[in-house]
Amino acid sequence: MIEPGTSTTSTGTGTADTNTDTGTDTARTSTGATRTSTGTGTGTASATGTVLPLTVGVEEEFLLVDARTLRVVPAAPLVLSTAAGLPHELHPEGTRYQVEISTPVAHSAVTLRRELAGLRRTLARAARAHGCRLLAAPSPVIAVEGPLHLTDDEPRQREQHRRFGALTDTLVSCGRHIHIGTLDVDTAVAVSNRVRPWLPTLIALAANSPFWGGRDTGHASWRAMAWSGWPSAGLPPHFTSTAHFHRSVQTLLGSGAALDTKMVYWDLRPSGNWPTLEFRAPDMSPDIDTAVLQAELARALVTTALHEIAERRPDPPVREDVLRLARWRAAHDGLEGFGLDPYTGTELPAADLAEALLDLVAPELAASGDLDHAAKTMAGLLRDGSGAHRQRAAFARRGDLMDVLRHLADETEAF
């Protein structure tokens, strides 16, 4: 396996994302992921410099489809009222075609998996009571007919539609948001700088939206591309300080690019509501173990970054143009094709980049007891293919998008 940051023969060209264009990778750790820290907080670092265990929480967004036609239906209010016994864990989303689950704070991957399975089971049961099925898919696959059915937060939604027009069509999409805590905002900003070069690899691992509007987009994660159309979305900036972070948010608001802080749609951001760093890049996917893998990798990346901050390790330079291209290549190729080393721009098999990420965070995964599950789940993805690959395989059997929708619904309900 080739490590990111090492030189290798490549059949392609590339670039990477940036605070500076120059420098070598000699300061990088053996697996390639150090970055400059600019925050001043200690987050979960103790007074002795040891990093305390981090918590994890996951938000998952689902589509509701008619059990017979598999087309989206605006049934969220009915489904949520049927599952009303869990008001803190089940929520409406941007449209009435969608529902969201939020796990309680978890200290272990085992607990997280149990919570995800239980909440999915409750939601699926409520959906069936109204003739619906649950779809853990980033897009409805088939085009949504007619005007969007918005949530009850209509004044805000109407203003969003008025200001951003056709961009609001992308609201009918679903992602998975992973919260890692507890982190104060200074620490979350510093960790964000260190983690963001690995966002393209996380996108490739979760890629699950090749079909959009009834056709194959030619991308493994079209959601990543469609969502990038929002002026407040995409890769977060590299922040020189916490004040820089706050100025960037205010610039989004002042320029009209965001109505409020809820519309800071960066792939990675300090949460506005919780003392966490929120990973927003991954597509929604039906397989629970893939969800847990994403959470394990995110928590281990944050823990690794905290150790590097505590040890005052320097940050290898990352070019912004390369990281932007690496994000596109991850969304285009997914796990089955190629990606770009975020530090050098070298073209590498996406599988090699995924394994390099696993190698990087393996010590932290081992310390938390997650390494066996993460390695096994990663091996399964590399063997059986990403969600995007499996969707295309389902379509290839008969050339029928209904087969893709049935595949997604069946996988979603395989608790």
Side-chain angles (χ1 to χ4, degrees), residues 141-226:
V141 177
I142 296 170
V144 179
E145 297 174 342
L148 291 183
H149 291 262
L150 303 174
T151 62
D152 290 334
D153 187 13
E154 290 198 11
R156 180 179 182 274
Q157 299 281 2
R158 298 293 176 196
E159 174 58 20
Q160 199 174 37
H161 184 74
R162 185 197 67 77
R163 186 179 298 187
F164 298 102
L167 278 176
T168 57
D169 293 346
T170 63
L171 290 174
V172 192
S173 65
C174 298
R176 175 180 294 116
H177 302 165
I178 300 163
H179 289 261
I180 306 299
T182 302
L183 303 172
D184 60 45
V185 66
D186 292 333
T187 306
V189 168
V191 170
S192 171
N193 286 340
R194 291 177 174 269
V195 165
R196 69 188 193 119
W198 290 102
L199 289 171
T201 300
L202 293 177
I203 288 171
L205 280 165
N208 190 43
S209 50
F211 297 102
W212 199 282
R215 67 187 182 94
D216 192 323
T217 64
H219 288 70
S221 175
W222 186 247
R223 171 186 165 272
M225 301 309 300

Side-chain angles (χ1 to χ4, degrees), residues 215-348:
R215 67 187 182 94
D216 192 323
T217 64
H219 288 70
S221 175
W222 186 247
R223 171 186 165 272
M225 301 309 300
W227 205 246
S228 296
W230 289 91
S232 58
L235 292 162
H238 179 279
F239 300 110
T240 57
S241 65
T242 304
H244 180 195
F245 161 70
H246 289 304
R247 285 196 305 272
S248 295
V249 172
Q250 289 306 311
T251 299
L252 290 176
L253 298 173
S255 67
L259 295 180
D260 48 40
T261 54
K262 288 168 64 177
M263 274 192 66
V264 177
Y265 291 151
W266 291 324
D267 292 339
L268 181 71
R269 69 181 186 190
S271 172
N273 297 318
W274 310 106
T276 63
L277 184 63
E278 182 183 2
F279 290 73
R280 301 171 50 86
D283 277 357
M284 186 57 187
S285 56
D287 176 53
I288 288 181
D289 284 306
T290 300
V292 175
L293 172 65
Q294 288 276 336
E296 290 167 336
L297 292 173
R299 181 166 67 168
L301 272 170
V302 172
T303 307
T304 299
L306 287 171
H307 282 302
E308 293 171 354
I309 291 168
E311 295 166 7
R312 300 184 180 278
R313 296 193 198 177
D315 196 14
V318 180
R319 286 173 43 201
E320 296 294 331
D321 57 335
V322 177
L323 192 54
R324 186 175 64 253
L325 292 174
R327 186 185 188 278
W328 167 76
R329 192 63 184 270
H332 183 272
D333 285 26
L335 196 53
E336 284 68 43
F338 285 80
L340 298 181
D341 180 309
Y343 298 100
T344 67
T346 303
E347 185 182 66
L348 296 171

Side-chain angles (χ1 to χ4, degrees), residues 87-140:
H88 301 297
E89 289 87 10
L90 306 178
H91 312 280
E93 249 304 310
T95 71
R96 297 187 186 190
Y97 310 113
Q98 298 164 281
V99 288
E100 180 188 76
I101 65 175
S102 300
T103 69
V105 172
H107 295 271
S108 73
V110 172
T111 301
L112 178 65
R113 193 189 194 287
R114 183 170 63 245
E115 294 288 352
L116 285 170
L119 289 170
R120 285 187 179 204
R121 196 174 293 114
T122 298
L123 204 51
R125 189 162 51 241
R128 284 195 297 271
H130 296 283
C132 300
R133 297 188 74 180
L134 210 56
L135 214 66
S139 86

Side-chain angles (χ1 to χ4, degrees), residues 48-90:
T48 62
T50 7
V51 175
L52 304 178
L54 297 171
T55 60
V56 60
V58 173
E59 298 164 345
E60 291 193 319
E61 300 163 352
F62 298 86
L63 294 169
L64 293 167
V65 297
D66 181 277
R68 184 179 57 84
T69 67
L70 298 180
R71 287 186 174 273
V72 291
V73 287
L78 291 172
V79 170
L80 290 172
S81 67
T82 299
L86 294 168
H88 301 297
E89 289 87 10
L90 306 178

